[in-house]
Amino acid sequence: MTADEASTATPSADPLHARQLELFELMGTHTAVVAPLRARRQVLGAISAGRGPAAPR
């Protein structure tokens, strides 16, 4: 799902998810990946990467 699709989807009840969408939109991100950071069967956090429009050359 792209950030555009996520922003037009049903609003999330999860406040963290809502905040992530807000930040991605603010930064102009159109594609994003959020992956869990795990160790020994525990989730320690998450890493997020996003891609916005290409810089002019």
Side-chain angles (χ1 to χ4, degrees):
M1 175 182 299
T2 66
D4 289 335
E5 292 168 337
S7 66
T8 59
T10 305
S12 174
D14 179 10
L16 178 59
H17 182 230
R19 182 67 176 146
Q20 285 175 331
L21 289 176
E22 183 181 327
L23 289 171
F24 287 145
E25 186 174 319
L26 181 69
M27 293 186 301
T29 303
H30 59 78
T31 305
V33 175
V34 180
L37 297 174
R38 298 177 148 210
R40 299 183 186 151
R41 299 184 185 183
Q42 291 183 328
V43 177
L44 303 175
I47 188 166
S48 302
R51 180 183 172 128
R57 292 182 178 197

